Amino acid sequence: MTTPTDRLPVAVVGAGPIGLAAAAHLLERGLEPLVLEAGDEVGAAVRAWRHVRLFSPWRHDVDAAAARLLARTGWRHPEPTGLPTGDDLVEQYLAPLAATEQLAPRIRTGARVVAVSRVGLDKTRSPRRDEQPFLVRVRTTDEHGRHVVADHHARAVIDASGTWEHRNPLGASGLPAPGEAEAAAFLAGPLPDVLGAERERFAGRRVLVVGAGHSAANTLLHLVALAEEDPADGPATRIVWAVRGASVRRVLGGGDLDGLPARGALGARLRRAVESGHVELHTEVTTSALEPSADGTEVVVVAETPAGQRRLAVDVIVAATGFRPDLGVLRELRLDLDPAVEAPRRLAPMIDPELHSCGTVPPHGADVLAHPEAGFFTAGAKSYGRAPTFLLATGYEQVRSIAAHLAGDDGAAADVRLTLPGTGVCSSSPPAATTGGTDPVQPSGGC
């Protein structure tokens, strides 16, 4: 016998900033959350880039409902203008939030969601579909290291699992380049700890950074700092930056026009590094193959450029090529996704980088994020699909609206209010190609 749907919890997939904020808003609305986190600790993805400093200050990084929950414990909001690292975000915010007496018993770590469906119904069955609870299949590991699978029933599902574990390949066409799997030992993650734990891997090496987003920018600047410390009698750290597009103006940003000063400064510093020659920039580069050397000491990157094929031997490749959502676990749900961006269809035009280059997005909530599968929502970075430039404040307003909708308060759900700091660079069309790659860092366009 199935438990009545209204007595079931709302399953929240992911215990990162957006997932925990969703749980806080659900509790305020009198709904019961069940938070399922694949990692062994909350904020697992954030912990992976804990050494990176955010360009959004604390005032944009803390959810309002989460702050109200924390205030009961005597927690004090960090300095609003301060810029946290990933480690700060976990230790000063996410970990205390997860430890509150309201949330702690409702969080399951080491619980990987492997599928979401409807109880007794596959994707093809329609009769009384919306009345059936969701079935959330979860895999855990017992004390003997064996996988254990259990099914949880839920009245609704908010998938805030992010995209961190699902990175885009180096190759073109959305596919790994030939040899990419064999070259795995030479590939670093999108945000390696260049100045800390992984320092020896990069110091004095030939490093190729591929990507045109803020992950690439952070890594490039850390590599520049590392190169400045090269010993006079040792090998130099060589930094090569390759992007697929004809321009890098988006990542270089709007400088002083950026509403987030740290984001504008990030781009300005990177511009200086390129113009000074510390970073060797190549635009319109497509990786066509990777060829590890027989002795395992280097990898040759075979690239197609406007000037023809080029072969570059390097020691390390930082693949900051972006992320994509894991849609396999949602195969039995009825989703309405944009075929290109893989975001909810109504959200896609607001964030598609092919349509505009703004780092901001209009306020949106449950109505924009809804799918034909009533009661199911993606939120946070996963709601953006393959589009970049997601900000935490966007996700917080998303889950506030979703929680209001699930509680039956559609007026509050529709009253979405979000003011995001502009980037200072905005265009309604993709950037034009530069001539011979000679002017790749000049900004154009305005907000």
Side-chain angles (χ1 to χ4, degrees), residues 292-333:
S293 62
D295 60 4
T297 58
E298 65 180 20
V299 60
V300 173
V301 180
V302 183
E304 305 300 327
T305 74
Q309 189 179 90
R310 180 177 180 182
R311 298 171 65 86
L312 176 66
V314 298
D315 301 306
V316 189
I317 303 172
V318 178
T321 48
F323 305 87
R324 58 183 62 181
D326 177 14
L327 300 175
V329 299
L330 309 177
R331 187 180 183 88
E332 292 306 318
L333 298 181

Side-chain angles (χ1 to χ4, degrees), residues 344-356:
R345 191 176 299 272
R346 293 184 61 189
L347 175 61
M350 306 178 192
I351 60 176
D352 187 344
E354 289 291 313
L355 302 179
H356 65 87

Side-chain angles (χ1 to χ4, degrees), residues 167-181 183-184 186-190 208-211 242-244 285-291 299-304 314 316-322 324:
R167 301 163 189 172
N168 291 329
L170 277 170
S173 305
L175 304 175
E180 190 165 336
F186 298 95
L187 302 179
L208 171 65
V209 178
V210 182
V243 300
R244 296 174 184 171
V285 174
T286 300
T287 304
S288 58
L290 299 180
E291 300 175 355
V299 60
V300 173
V301 180
V302 183
E304 305 300 327
V314 298
V316 189
I317 303 172
V318 178
T321 48
R324 58 183 62 181

Side-chain angles (χ1 to χ4, degrees), residues 347 349-351 356 358 360-365 368 384 394 416 418 420:
L347 175 61
M350 306 178 192
I351 60 176
H356 65 87
C358 294
T360 57
V361 61
H364 60 278
V368 169
Y384 267 43
T394 302
V416 287
L418 180 64
L420 293 176

Side-chain angles (χ1 to χ4, degrees), residues 161-426:
S161 58
T163 57
W164 177 257
E165 292 185 344
H166 303 277
R167 301 163 189 172
N168 291 329
L170 277 170
S173 305
L175 304 175
E180 190 165 336
E182 292 77 8
F186 298 95
L187 302 179
L191 283 168
D193 191 0
V194 171
L195 297 173
E198 298 179 78
R199 187 186 193 93
E200 291 186 6
R201 186 178 188 184
F202 293 92
R205 307 288 185 179
R206 297 162 297 174
V207 184
L208 171 65
V209 178
V210 182
H214 291 108
S215 294
N218 270 293
T219 297
L220 287 162
L221 290 175
H222 289 168
L223 286 167
V224 170
L226 182 65
E228 291 174 347
E229 301 173 10
D230 284 343
D233 58 348
T237 302
R238 180 185 173 190
I239 310 164
V240 181
W241 181 19
V243 300
R244 296 174 184 171
S247 169
V248 291
R249 70 177 186 183
R250 288 181 191 170
V251 67
L252 297 182
D256 293 340
L257 297 177
D258 197 309
L260 291 176
R263 182 171 58 191
L266 184 78
R269 289 168 56 205
L270 184 54
R271 179 190 301 276
R272 289 193 296 270
V274 172
E275 293 175 343
S276 66
H278 288 98
V279 173
E280 179 184 322
L281 171 63
H282 298 272
T283 58
E284 298 182 88
V285 174
T286 300
T287 304
S288 58
L290 299 180
E291 300 175 355
S293 62
D295 60 4
T297 58
E298 65 180 20
V299 60
V300 173
V301 180
V302 183
E304 305 300 327
T305 74
Q309 189 179 90
R310 180 177 180 182
R311 298 171 65 86
L312 176 66
V314 298
D315 301 306
V316 189
I317 303 172
V318 178
T321 48
F323 305 87
R324 58 183 62 181
D326 177 14
L327 300 175
V329 299
L330 309 177
R331 187 180 183 88
E332 292 306 318
L333 298 181
R334 297 179 176 183
L335 306 182
D336 185 20
L337 296 172
D338 178 82
V341 184
E342 295 182 342
R345 191 176 299 272
R346 293 184 61 189
L347 175 61
M350 306 178 192
I351 60 176
D352 187 344
E354 289 291 313
L355 302 179
H356 65 87
S357 61
C358 294
T360 57
V361 61
H364 60 278
D367 59 338
V368 169
L369 299 168
H371 290 278
E373 196 73 66
F376 174 80
F377 299 88
T378 50
K382 189 164 185 175
S383 72
Y384 267 43
R386 299 194 184 198
T389 69
F390 171 77
L391 293 174
L392 291 178
T394 302
Y396 295 154
E397 182 63 3
Q398 287 179 339
V399 295
R400 182 209 61 78
S401 175
I402 292 169
H405 167 75
L406 293 176
D409 189 350
D410 286 330
D415 186 21
V416 287
R417 301 180 183 182
L418 180 64
T419 302
L420 293 176
T423 63
V425 174
C426 191

Side-chain angles (χ1 to χ4, degrees), residues 103-182:
L103 283 188
R106 296 173 167 91
I107 298 172
R108 306 284 185 271
T109 56
R112 180 175 294 277
V113 173
V114 296
V116 183
S117 186
R118 291 278 190 179
V119 173
L121 300 176
D122 65 18
K123 192 174 189 174
T124 68
R125 300 288 299 279
S126 297
R128 304 183 67 180
R129 184 176 186 85
D130 294 350
E131 300 175 18
Q132 288 298 107
F134 286 92
L135 184 152
V136 183
R137 182 157 292 173
V138 177
R139 186 180 69 223
T140 58
T141 304
D142 67 15
E143 64 273 18
H144 304 293
R146 296 174 299 203
H147 288 319
V148 178
V149 175
D151 290 343
H152 298 265
H153 294 177
R155 64 186 295 173
V157 176
I158 302 173
D159 186 349
S161 58
T163 57
W164 177 257
E165 292 185 344
H166 303 277
R167 301 163 189 172
N168 291 329
L170 277 170
S173 305
L175 304 175
E180 190 165 336
E182 292 77 8

